[in-house]
Amino acid sequence: MITKQDLERLIERADGGRPVLSLFLDMSVNSDNKRTYNVFLNQKQAQFEELDGSQAPAVAEAFDRVREWLVNEYDEANRGVVIYTELDGDWLEGLQFPVPVQNRAVLGSRPVITPLAQVIESYHHHGVILLDREHVRILSVYLGTLLDELEVHGDPIPTPSDVQAGGYSQARLQRRKAEEMRHFFKEFAQEVEAFVARYRPHDLVVLGTEENTAKFLEFLPPQLREMVVYTGPAWVDDNCSEILQRIQPHLEAHEEQERLETVALVRDRVAHDYLATAGIQGTLIALQEGKVDTLVIARDQQRDGVRCKQCSFVFARELDACPYCGSGTLEEVDAVEELVRMAEGQGVSIAFAEPNEVDDLKGVGALLRY
């Protein structure tokens, strides 16, 4: 399973001095129940070999290593694969996950991370809490997959042997059971707090009877109550796959609403010229000045740009010389890749939007800190 740590490791990877092949493969099956990634691999290998005949043997060897990894390491339950490997080198790293990516192949000086960041930033990590009055299950869920599960059973207060149905003894038993529930819910809330501290989910889902979920929320600290994005009916022992399938539409709707609200806030601030940018060049400048709080960017886009080899400033247009340091030593780059790399390196929140949602922002915008 992929994580933010994978991105950080790839961004920080030292330049090995060799070209890096970055491959993104859609491993979904088509209408004939077949995967077509081999057609894409063959096409890209031929293109790269034709571009530079002197590199053809190294390219062929790199693609052979990729195919070997797919045969030996790929799990057919996954629909997306990212593979990085060096030309004339030994390094190869493969990542796979349950959601698809667009087919793409890039040969460059370092690993391309934008499509991988798009997957990681577009899917939240959820904590799903199922409970009754004596039992709680806490599920760690990411990319629609169960990563881990914790289970806690309360230790019921012993029932006195002289309790009889009806009368004072029955009333006392009911009070004891209410006390027991409060005891368990307090314990369960502590377990959830420990879960959040350890697993760092984006949000929480609480499932159970309406009465139990409402009561349980009272025991959660305010900061955890604010993380709850959905409550609904379920039995604590319900099948995990059925639970995930049932809540997925609610989670997707919440994530979409969150994204649309972020885009709307950028649009409103741009209109009022207040702590926001629109367009790739203005956003690049703000990022390189450390001003960006949240980046909004259209999915699956690429933009030609240049980077100054002397001062490392990036521009989303062709230039003869760097306007900052005057150097004429510029190298061609994908400006979107540079934008995402900088944002990830600075810990900036990124919202990948549908292209039509940010057309009026020219495909890129940002909320600024100052």
Side-chain angles (χ1 to χ4, degrees), residues 19 21 33 35 55 77 99 121 132 164 169 175 182 195 206 217 229 258 262 275 280 310:
L21 174 64
N33 203 33
R35 294 183 172 89
Q55 283 193 329
V99 296
E121 299 290 355
D132 60 21
Q164 300 174 2
S169 295
R175 288 196 299 272
R182 289 191 293 271
F195 169 88
V206 181
L217 291 176
V229 297
E258 197 174 64
T262 300
L275 293 180
I280 191 165
Q310 182 164 306

Side-chain angles (χ1 to χ4, degrees), residues 13-20 106-111 307 331 341:
R13 180 180 180 271
D15 187 350
R18 298 184 179 90
V20 173
V106 181
L107 192 57
S109 60
R110 57 187 182 178
R307 178 175 50 233
E331 60 179 334
R341 274 182 166 268

Side-chain angles (χ1 to χ4, degrees), residues 263-333:
V263 172
L265 181 57
V266 173
R267 184 177 294 115
D268 181 67
R269 285 199 188 178
V270 167
H272 291 88
D273 194 22
Y274 175 70
L275 293 180
T277 66
I280 191 165
Q281 187 57 50
T283 305
L284 269 170
I285 292 171
L287 260 174
Q288 290 169 110
E289 293 175 347
K291 295 180 178 180
V292 173
D293 177 76
T294 302
L295 175 67
V296 172
I297 185 167
R299 299 176 182 276
D300 302 318
Q301 62 171 318
Q302 301 170 53
R303 304 277 188 94
D304 291 338
V306 294
R307 178 175 50 233
C308 175
K309 288 189 174 182
Q310 182 164 306
C311 71
S312 298
F313 222 83
V314 178
F315 306 90
R317 58 179 184 269
E318 292 185 9
L319 296 170
D320 294 324
C322 174
Y324 289 94
C325 69
S327 171
T329 311
L330 307 173
E331 60 179 334
E332 295 181 356
V333 295

Side-chain angles (χ1 to χ4, degrees), residues 110-337:
R110 57 187 182 178
V112 170
I113 61 123
T114 297
L116 186 59
Q118 183 170 302
V119 173
I120 290 172
E121 299 290 355
S122 298
Y123 292 87
H124 287 181
H125 177 196
H126 309 289
V128 180
I129 304 157
L130 296 101
L131 60 91
D132 60 21
R133 296 192 176 197
E134 297 181 357
H135 180 195
V136 67
R137 292 166 65 200
I138 310 173
L139 314 180
S140 172
V141 178
Y142 181 51
L143 296 174
T145 301
L146 177 67
L147 301 184
D148 204 354
E149 178 175 352
L150 308 176
E151 191 165 359
V152 177
H153 290 266
D155 185 14
I157 300 171
T159 302
S161 58
D162 63 344
V163 171
Q164 300 174 2
Y168 176 79
S169 295
Q170 184 66 25
R172 186 171 64 178
L173 175 61
Q174 290 174 352
R175 288 196 299 272
R176 288 174 65 86
K177 281 298 182 183
E179 178 186 344
E180 181 180 82
M181 182 195 71
R182 289 191 293 271
H183 170 77
F184 289 159
F185 280 6
K186 183 178 180 180
E187 180 183 346
F188 296 165
Q190 291 170 347
E191 293 289 343
V192 171
E193 197 166 5
F195 169 88
V196 169
R198 179 181 176 187
Y199 290 87
R200 306 283 182 185
H202 288 89
D203 49 47
L204 297 172
V205 171
V206 181
L207 304 174
T209 67
E210 185 175 354
E211 180 183 1
N212 284 344
T213 56
K215 284 286 186 183
F216 176 71
L217 291 176
E218 296 175 6
F219 288 84
L220 284 179
Q223 66 271 23
L224 296 190
R225 280 203 300 272
E226 291 174 2
M227 292 177 63
V228 176
V229 297
Y230 176 70
T231 62
W235 298 110
V236 70
D237 294 319
D238 278 354
N239 177 272
C240 182
S241 331
E242 294 175 1
I243 286 288
L244 298 186
Q245 188 174 5
R246 196 186 314 161
I247 66 174
Q248 192 60 35
H250 302 284
L251 298 177
E252 290 176 356
H254 174 76
E255 290 171 9
E256 180 182 10
Q257 183 61 31
E258 197 174 64
R259 184 185 73 247
L260 293 175
E261 288 174 358
T262 300
V263 172
L265 181 57
V266 173
R267 184 177 294 115
D268 181 67
R269 285 199 188 178
V270 167
H272 291 88
D273 194 22
Y274 175 70
L275 293 180
T277 66
I280 191 165
Q281 187 57 50
T283 305
L284 269 170
I285 292 171
L287 260 174
Q288 290 169 110
E289 293 175 347
K291 295 180 178 180
V292 173
D293 177 76
T294 302
L295 175 67
V296 172
I297 185 167
R299 299 176 182 276
D300 302 318
Q301 62 171 318
Q302 301 170 53
R303 304 277 188 94
D304 291 338
V306 294
R307 178 175 50 233
C308 175
K309 288 189 174 182
Q310 182 164 306
C311 71
S312 298
F313 222 83
V314 178
F315 306 90
R317 58 179 184 269
E318 292 185 9
L319 296 170
D320 294 324
C322 174
Y324 289 94
C325 69
S327 171
T329 311
L330 307 173
E331 60 179 334
E332 295 181 356
V333 295
D334 177 353
V336 171
E337 171 74 8

